[in-house]
Every structure is written in C-alpha cells, then in structure tokens.
Amino acid sequence: MSEALIFSLFNLMARGLSSAAGLLLARAVAPEAFGEYALALNYAVLLGVLARMGGNEVLLVTRDGASGAALRRWMGVGISLYALLAIGFAVGIAPLLGLSAFIFAFCALRAAAEQVGLQMINSRLQRQERLGRVNLMTVLISLAVAIAVACAAGPALYHQGIALVTGAEFSADMTTPAGMFGLAPVPTFVMVSAIALVIVMLLGMWLSHDAAADAQAVDSDAASQRRLPSKADFARGRGFLYNNLMSFAYLQAWVILAGLAFAPAQVASVSVVTSIVFALYVFPTSLYRYYLPKLTHGDARLKEYLVIASGFALPVAGGLALVAPWLAEHFLSGAYPRLTLTLRAFALVYLVHAFVTCAFTRLAALRLNGKRLLCQSTGATLVVGGGLAIAALNHSLGNASGDTGSLLGVDLYSLFLCVPVAAEVVMLAMAILFQPSLSRSGKAHEDNAAASA
C-alpha cells in the first residue's frame, strides 16, 4: 500500500503541476488562442493513443518487458506509426479544422514524446521495479510544461500575480504576455514544451538502461533478437488499445467534441475545466488499483471501499462547485464564457464516476470483464454520439462559426454538458444491474481462488 500511495501522490503532484501550468497559460492568453492550442493538443494525444497500440501495457505483462530490446521494438513501431498518422492528419484533416500548422506540428512532437516514448519508457521502469525513477519521470514531464509556460508568459504572469494579491497596478506592457524568440505566447509554449519533453524522453531512455539485464535477456531469450513485436504481442496490444480508446472517449474527448460544435472560446472553457478535473482522477484510479486484488478474495472490503471512495469524491466535487465562480470571475477575469457552469457539470461527472469505478472494480474482481467493457463501450458511444449530434444540430441551425445556438428554447451548450453526466449515470446503472448477488459473488470468488491455485 505504501508504494502505491507514494506512486499515487507523485502522479497527483505531477497532474497538479500540469493543471496549474494550464491555468496560468489560460490566464495569460486570449481564450481563442488557448482554444486552438487545446484542440490541436487533444487531436495529437488521440493520435498518440492510436500509435502506441497498447504497447506500454504489453511491456508490463510480457516476460521481456524490462529489456531494452522490447522497448526498442515497441518504440520503433509506435514512433514510426505516429509520424505517419501525424503527417496524414496535418495534410488531410488539420486544414479543414482551421488548425495552425506550426501549433499542430509541435503539439504532435510533444505527443509523440509524451504519449508514445515516455509511456513505454515508464512501463519498462515499472517492470524493472524502479518506481523512484518512474516518479522522477512523472515530475519531470510536468516541470517541462511549467518551464514552457514560464518562457511563454513568465514576466506577465509574475506582474499579474502581484496585482491579483496586492491590488497594485501595472502598465499594460508589463501584464501583457510576450513570448520568446519573436513568437506569440502560444507558439512559444508549444515549441518549448515539445522540445523539453523530447529531452525528458531521451533522459528516460538513459535512466531505463540496464546493461546486465539486457545481456541476460540476450543469453536466455531468442525473442530479444526480433526487430518487431510478435503477433501475440500485437494481439494483446489490440485489447489494451480498445480499452485506451474507450477511456479517451468518455474521459478526454470533450475538447475535440466541443471543437466540432462550438467557437474556440467555449472550447477553451471545456479544456480548462477538463484539465482540472482529469488531474483529480488519480484518486479513483489509485483506489481501483489498491482494492482490485482485495475484492478478488471476497466482498469483505467492499463497504470500506465505498466509504473511502465517497469520502474522497464528495468533498472534491463540492469544492470544485464552490470554487467555480471565483476561478471564472477573479482568476480568469471572466474571459472564459460559461466556465462556472462547465466546472460544476464536470464536478458532478467526477462524483458519479467515483461510484462507477467502485462498481467496475467489483466486476473486474469477479472476472466479469465482458460486462465492464460493455458498460465502458456504452458510455463512450453515448459521449461521442451525443457530442456529434449536438455539433450537427448547432451547425444545422446556421451557426457556422460555432457560436452557441438553441433548440426549442434549450441552450445547446447546456445540453452538451448534460451528455457526460448522462453517460456516467447510464454506466453506473448498468454496472449496478450487472452486479451479481452476494451468494453468486461468493461462488465466483471461490471459482477465482480455485483457478488461481
């Protein structure tokens, strides 16, 4: 538990640093510029999920996952595929979305390092049981983003911070961000963050080097001579890829869906909120990892799990709802439209998702993974289908610029925020209906124990 707790705390700290950096950048630049960056980055992250093909999870479960040969095989395939996907997206899709070629190119470079290279390096370090180095890499990733924010708008943020705390007044020249290298703040940020994360990736490759283990793997395993992952590895990766795509769809796809439906300023509001809330998902994820093996042996710890999960989720969701007006009106100076409503909606999403995770944990412990995947697939389908439907409705009402329209007196942006809440509620209802009775649960636990014996 102590190692899992330390690992979770480092993940929380790293995600907190990334969210804080995103908030500072959002404060420093215009919502339209931040919305364009957020949209480009989320498309780049989606390409990263596709390109790594579940390879980082495969490294965690295969026998040679700790070897340098296995890392090189998956990184070679992943980075090569990412380059092809990014070039195809930049040529065929990005112009239709109106994305800046410069911003998307560096967002793609960042995602290639972060979503493909660093994910696989961290998996190798975990297989080597070098959790201290995994934690170091996690923090370095967030520091790279923070350095990029400092380069993009450091002096302006410093003077804005003093003005916010003390009420002092500064000239517009001192509080208006001006990026380095003759570039605007957002291009500066995407360039510096991409280069910094490539450097962190190279450092991670050096930290994961283990000459003795690699030599032993070469001597004992002919598979280490392969240049590509095996068919069995790719088959395992497909299952992990499906899970990753489902998770992306109902946890992270909101910026992309908002970009299809609304103007960049509203996309920026969704991005700011989801970056805050997504950082907090480390709590339910950590509880899932800790209680999954406990529930495999019986339901004795289930009540404890529910109490702890609700004890985390209720105050966090309530705190987000309470802080929303201050964040929108004071910290971000009211520049981001509908941010209070957006944050409160996603606080409710976070609260429901905590109980969804509890139900999923019990299904996984009872090896009812087919039912768990059905719940996830339904949630992802509702999210993507609902988002696309609202985008189509908004454009059919003549809002070609992406401004918010209304249907029968209902604001489409408010309807858009109802989609993630509805998806989580539906997943929770399905997961509860799929739960076996306590007597059947006891029989399933006995079967699991016999199978593992």
Side-chain angles (χ1 to χ4, degrees), residues 341-373:
L341 176 65
T342 307
L343 185 53
R344 287 176 171 171
F346 277 93
L348 182 57
V349 170
Y350 179 83
L351 177 62
V352 179
H353 185 76
F355 296 100
V356 171
T357 305
C358 293
F360 280 2
T361 306
R362 189 165 185 258
L363 290 175
L366 295 173
R367 297 188 179 181
L368 300 174
N369 286 312
K371 293 182 177 179
R372 179 176 60 85
L373 287 174

Side-chain angles (χ1 to χ4, degrees), residues 7 11 126 284-293 305:
F7 184 71
N11 270 285
Q126 285 181 256
T285 301
S286 300
L287 289 175
Y288 171 86
R289 290 175 177 172
Y290 178 71
Y291 278 99
L292 178 59
Y305 184 12

Side-chain angles (χ1 to χ4, degrees), residues 14-31 34 37-38 41 110 142 145-146 148-150 152-153 156-158 160-161 164 177 186 189 268-280 320 323-336 339-340 343:
R15 290 189 182 184
L17 282 171
S18 295
S19 294
L23 277 173
L24 289 173
L25 184 67
R27 177 180 170 83
V29 303
F34 188 84
Y37 148 72
L41 180 63
R110 169 181 169 174
S142 298
V145 177
V149 172
L157 288 169
Y158 172 75
Q160 288 179 13
L164 184 66
V186 169
F189 171 77
S269 294
V270 175
S271 177
V272 169
V273 167
T274 52
S275 68
I276 296 170
V277 176
F278 184 67
L280 298 170
L320 289 175
V323 81
W326 177 88
L327 182 68
E329 299 301 326
H330 294 280
F331 187 80
L332 296 175
S333 304
Y336 287 75
L339 191 134
T340 297
L343 185 53

